[in-house]
Amino acid sequence: MSYNSPQSADPAIIVTGVSKCFHIYSKPQDRLKQAIMPRVQQALGLKQKAYNREFWALKNVSFTLNKGETLGIIGRNGSGKSTLLQLICGTLSPTHGQVQTFGRVAALLELGAGFNPEFTGRENVYLSAAFYGLSKEQTDERFDDIVNFSEIRDFIDQPVKTYSSGMFVRLAFATVAHVDADILIIDEALAVGDAIFTQKCMRFLRKFKEEKTLLFVSHDSTSVIALCDKALWLSDGQTQELGDAKETSEHYLNFILGATQDKSLQEQTQASSTARKLREIWAGEHRYASAGPMSLFQSNLQDSPQTDPLGAQIKHVNVTAEDGSDIRALTGGEVVTLSIHAIAFTELKSPVLGFYIKDRLGQFLFGSNTLSIEDTLRPAAAPGQAINAQFTFAIPWLASGDYSIQVAIADGTQQDHTSHHWIHDAVIFHCSNDPSASGLIGIPMLDIQLHVSAQPGL
Ligand SMILES: Nc1ncnc2c1ncn2[C@@H]1O[C@H](COP(=O)(O)OP(=O)(O)OP(=O)(O)O)[C@@H](O)[C@H]1O
């Protein structure tokens, strides 16, 4: 099966009739017996006995992925996703069929794969980069960018065996992000990072997929829908469906719900597709470490692109309850105030401050800016003056997960402005499971009415 790319007809990956057989041994000693006994039995003219059994992890899988396309691979545990990715990376070879890749393939398949635990972070970056074909000089040039991306500079000369899983994935992701890959293969390893790092990875992947080829494997079809054009659903090593990411993911999700829920829930599979997606997000809740009520809003003013020369800078961002007190728990409908404090370095004729709230995949959910205020109430700012903006709004009911607030300061109008400073993830917060949210966000529903009348037309 194959499909044509809207972006380009140049293939990046061609998988043709690929099958993979593993040999399963019930006892460790059977492996040795299998290596020796068949030859002995053959030499003695005896019937050869097998000490293992065959297990076909992939059966006759075919697809073509063109340059610039993004494919999400979904399927239940053991359906063959990792096996397929390893075949594409070349770390496994197919039993039957053929895998062709065009361009440099870089992969983040499993935590720690490709890193030597005894070597330092620095040595592992050089080793990995060399593995992907970069010369020492090329790695020297981008080493600082890799370390900056990973944000583990203080530990870069420690052996990676001393790293936490989060540090490990930061360095591994930062490395594969800088090797000029044409094809990037990412397993759910991303989920190991914290919310801020996940946002950064999502920004990188969104940019990468604009031009290059991305293969993304996940149990979470919401991520696949958000990131991918196409999806391949594997079931027991076979292609169950290959097609549009949204459609295929929804079919997969229906299948999962049908297979796992009790009868009463099965009856609800007519529910809207967004509600179904949401249930899956909740099912994946265990992957998020709750920030806890004491640290509901975590500030993160690093990672902030700014223009040069710097016309204005955001200095402080916080979220409080309407009365200015700290918020200890977040419930939908609660009124909060987001404050952004900035300082002007040049004259800003019409300063504009704004924000966006994004979900864990970096999708913009909602936002606003001070352009909504009347012109006469928007004063100019002279160099050295402080600019404070406050947005008071009711937080919608949010699906369980991590969220971030992006803030920015600019000068001008909606159509014509100069950006001075923006912070991608200035505030991170975690929202606990709120059953009121159906879809990406829920709204404060004030009243619902249903009337049945015997008199038609009324
Ligand atoms: N080296 C191996 N030897 C024997 N069986 C293997 C080997 N690698 C994978 N398998 C089996 O092949 C099947 C597919 O495994 P694979 O890891 O590709 O599935 P997956 O879809 O990636 O699962 P998960 O979502 O749990 O990571 C599984 O039943 C697994 O036990």
Side-chain angles (χ1 to χ4, degrees), residues 21-343:
C21 177
F22 290 115
H23 291 107
I24 312 273
Y25 298 88
S26 12
K27 297 187 284 266
Q29 55 268 40
D30 287 349
R31 193 175 288 276
L32 186 64
K33 283 187 194 163
Q34 181 65 36
I36 299 168
M37 295 307 285
R39 283 181 224 170
V40 175
Q41 287 157 349
Q42 190 184 26
L44 296 174
L46 300 171
K47 188 167 173 267
Q48 290 178 35
K49 182 183 167 204
Y51 295 87
N52 58 21
R53 69 186 165 84
E54 290 186 344
F55 176 77
W56 290 87
L58 282 178
K59 296 167 215 159
N60 197 23
V61 173
S62 297
F63 66 88
T64 300
L65 191 63
N66 289 326
K67 285 184 180 146
E69 283 189 325
T70 304
L71 178 73
I73 302 180
I74 46 180
R76 307 188 77 170
N77 291 117
S79 56
K81 303 183 294 293
S82 308
T83 305
L84 177 59
L85 294 188
Q86 288 177 66
L87 291 169
I88 294 168
C89 290
T91 50
L92 278 180
S93 33
T95 311
H96 299 307
Q98 199 186 15
V99 176
Q100 291 167 277
T101 55
F102 303 87
R104 181 178 287 165
V105 183
L108 193 64
L109 279 187
E110 143 191 358
L111 200 56
F115 275 10
N116 185 327
E118 300 297 329
F119 291 177
T120 65
R122 182 186 299 270
E123 289 164 340
N124 272 300
V125 167
Y126 275 86
L127 269 179
S128 277
F131 173 79
Y132 287 121
L134 261 61
S135 67
K136 181 179 174 303
E137 291 68 34
Q138 286 174 311
T139 313
D140 286 342
E141 274 167 25
R142 48 195 94 184
F143 185 76
D144 270 348
D145 290 341
I146 294 175
V147 177
N148 288 341
F149 192 103
S150 72
E151 296 168 24
I152 54 160
R153 186 171 289 280
D154 292 348
F155 304 92
I156 198 69
D157 290 311
Q158 303 288 323
V160 299
K161 67 181 176 194
T162 63
Y163 284 14
S164 67
S165 52
M167 289 159 72
F168 225 109
V169 85
R170 278 166 180 265
L171 193 60
F173 193 99
T175 308
V176 296
H178 288 86
V179 296
D180 294 341
D182 299 297
I183 300 169
L184 196 54
I185 301 180
I186 302 282
D187 203 335
E188 280 182 313
L190 274 182
V192 181
D194 62 20
I196 298 171
F197 191 70
T198 305
Q199 289 284 344
K200 189 193 259 194
C201 294
M202 285 298 163
R203 276 203 300 282
F204 168 80
L205 291 179
R206 282 180 189 284
K207 199 155 172 23
F208 179 88
K209 79 190 190 86
E210 283 171 14
E211 291 175 12
K212 309 278 183 76
T213 307
L214 177 68
L215 244 82
F216 185 77
V217 67
S218 178
H219 290 279
D220 176 2
S221 59
T222 312
S223 327
V224 171
I225 292 169
L227 267 182
C228 306
D229 315 311
K230 305 280 175 185
L232 169 65
W233 168 12
L234 287 178
S235 174
D236 291 332
Q238 300 186 70
T239 301
Q240 180 75 25
E241 191 172 326
L242 174 65
D244 171 70
K246 188 165 180 293
E247 221 168 83
T248 307
S249 298
E250 283 178 7
H251 293 162
Y252 168 65
L253 198 48
N254 276 342
F255 167 79
I256 293 290
L257 286 170
T260 56
Q261 305 290 332
D262 62 20
K263 195 167 179 294
S264 64
L265 263 179
Q266 276 188 43
E267 284 162 6
Q268 292 179 23
T269 52
Q270 298 298 323
S272 72
S273 62
T274 45
R276 275 182 264 130
K277 267 179 258 159
L278 194 70
R279 255 182 256 143
E280 197 196 26
I281 295 177
W282 291 343
E285 172 66 1
H286 62 279
R287 292 190 295 139
Y288 299 94
S290 170
M294 298 306 286
S295 55
L296 190 59
F297 293 98
Q298 295 168 24
S299 190
N300 167 48
L301 295 188
Q302 283 115 40
D303 186 18
S304 50
Q306 51 199 35
T307 53
D308 190 20
L310 187 60
Q313 190 174 29
I314 294 166
K315 291 289 196 187
H316 189 60
V317 181
N318 71 328
V319 183
T320 55
E322 214 177 355
D323 61 4
S325 61
D326 287 347
I327 298 170
R328 299 286 182 218
L330 195 64
T331 21
E334 190 167 349
V335 175
V336 299
T337 297
L338 167 70
S339 306
I340 307 174
H341 307 280
I343 185 151

